[in-house]
Amino acid sequence: MPTKSLKILGIDPGYDRLGLAVIEKSQTGLKLLYSTCLQTNKKDSLSSRFLLLGRELKKIIKKEKPDVVALETLYFSVNQKTASKVAEVRGMIAYICAESGLPISEYNPMQIKSCVTGWGGANKKQIIELVKKQIVVPAKVKIDDEYDAIAIALTHSVMAKMLSLWKNFGFLQAPKTLKIKAK
């Protein structure tokens, strides 16, 4: 009996650059359906940048029709101002996904690196090389944020399988999925 495919929208949140990728997981394997990196103008106001990102995200959701969203958790760096703005973008993303009826699963950088490379301390170059070994990536993909979005979607494809196995064997602890029902 054929199993339904799963379309995963991976998002690497940012207000300068927002990485997006849609992969399809099916019985025949993984396929990259869409990827991009949305870039905003640093001279524009923050609200204008959020508006642009939000509009583009809505268009992509409408066009690609993902089943689930995989979102990178916020990484607190030295620059708290940047972290605060990225947190605001994540809020906007969560709102748009909830409004679209999409469940969100969140993964931290170490989980993503571990799922994609087998090592939580992997660097950008290692992630990119191992993403390319797991899924066909067009040559046009050059920006780290776009590769990060693909890696986040790949992480969900692995974690979704693990979650299914955990449920089948009755384990209680599983990754949390944020499910918000839109009215």
Side-chain angles (χ1 to χ4, degrees):
M1 176 187 293
T3 310
K4 181 185 180 293
S5 65
L6 178 68
K7 287 174 89 173
I8 304 163
L9 170 59
I11 303 177
D12 180 31
Y15 61 95
D16 260 350
R17 296 188 315 217
L18 180 76
L20 299 163
V22 178
I23 67 168
E24 183 174 47
K25 180 179 181 178
S26 68
Q27 285 184 319
T28 58
L30 296 167
K31 182 179 181 182
L32 179 62
L33 301 176
Y34 175 85
S35 69
T36 191
C37 182
L38 303 175
Q39 296 188 27
T40 61
N41 186 335
K42 294 177 185 204
K43 294 178 183 178
D44 289 346
S45 69
L46 196 56
S47 59
S48 295
R49 294 165 88 175
F50 285 178
L51 181 63
L52 170 78
L53 295 172
R55 283 182 177 161
E56 291 302 311
L57 178 58
K58 284 182 178 184
K59 286 180 193 175
I60 291 164
I61 289 171
K62 186 175 181 178
K63 181 181 177 211
E64 298 298 328
K65 299 178 182 8
D67 300 305
V68 64
V69 174
L71 180 64
E72 185 174 27
T73 59
L74 185 59
Y75 174 74
F76 285 97
S77 61
V78 177
N79 190 340
Q80 294 299 314
K81 186 177 177 184
T82 299
S84 174
K85 290 175 184 174
V86 174
E88 291 175 38
V89 170
R90 289 184 80 255
M92 182 256 314
I93 292 167
Y95 172 80
I96 290 170
C97 292
E99 185 179 53
S100 301
L102 293 170
I104 299 173
S105 293
E106 298 182 73
Y107 303 100
N108 67 46
M110 188 173 282
Q111 288 173 308
I112 296 162
K113 291 173 184 180
S114 294
C115 278
V116 173
T117 70
W119 179 50
N123 63 36
K124 289 279 188 190
K125 185 177 178 186
Q126 292 167 321
I127 293 167
I128 290 169
E129 287 308 309
L130 285 162
V131 161
K132 289 179 184 178
K133 291 189 184 305
Q134 294 176 48
I135 197 164
V136 177
V137 179
K140 71 169 184 68
V141 177
K142 302 278 187 215
I143 301 173
D144 289 357
D145 303 86
E146 198 167 341
Y147 274 105
D148 288 347
I150 298 167
I152 294 161
L154 288 171
T155 298
H156 185 75
S157 75
V158 170
M159 296 303 284
K161 184 174 184 173
M162 288 176 65
L163 178 59
S164 174
L165 290 172
W166 286 335
K167 284 181 181 178
N168 288 341
F169 290 107
F171 293 108
L172 299 175
Q173 297 297 317
K176 292 184 179 178
T177 300
L178 174 64
K179 291 185 180 181
I180 302 173
K181 212 142 177 118
K183 291 184 180 183

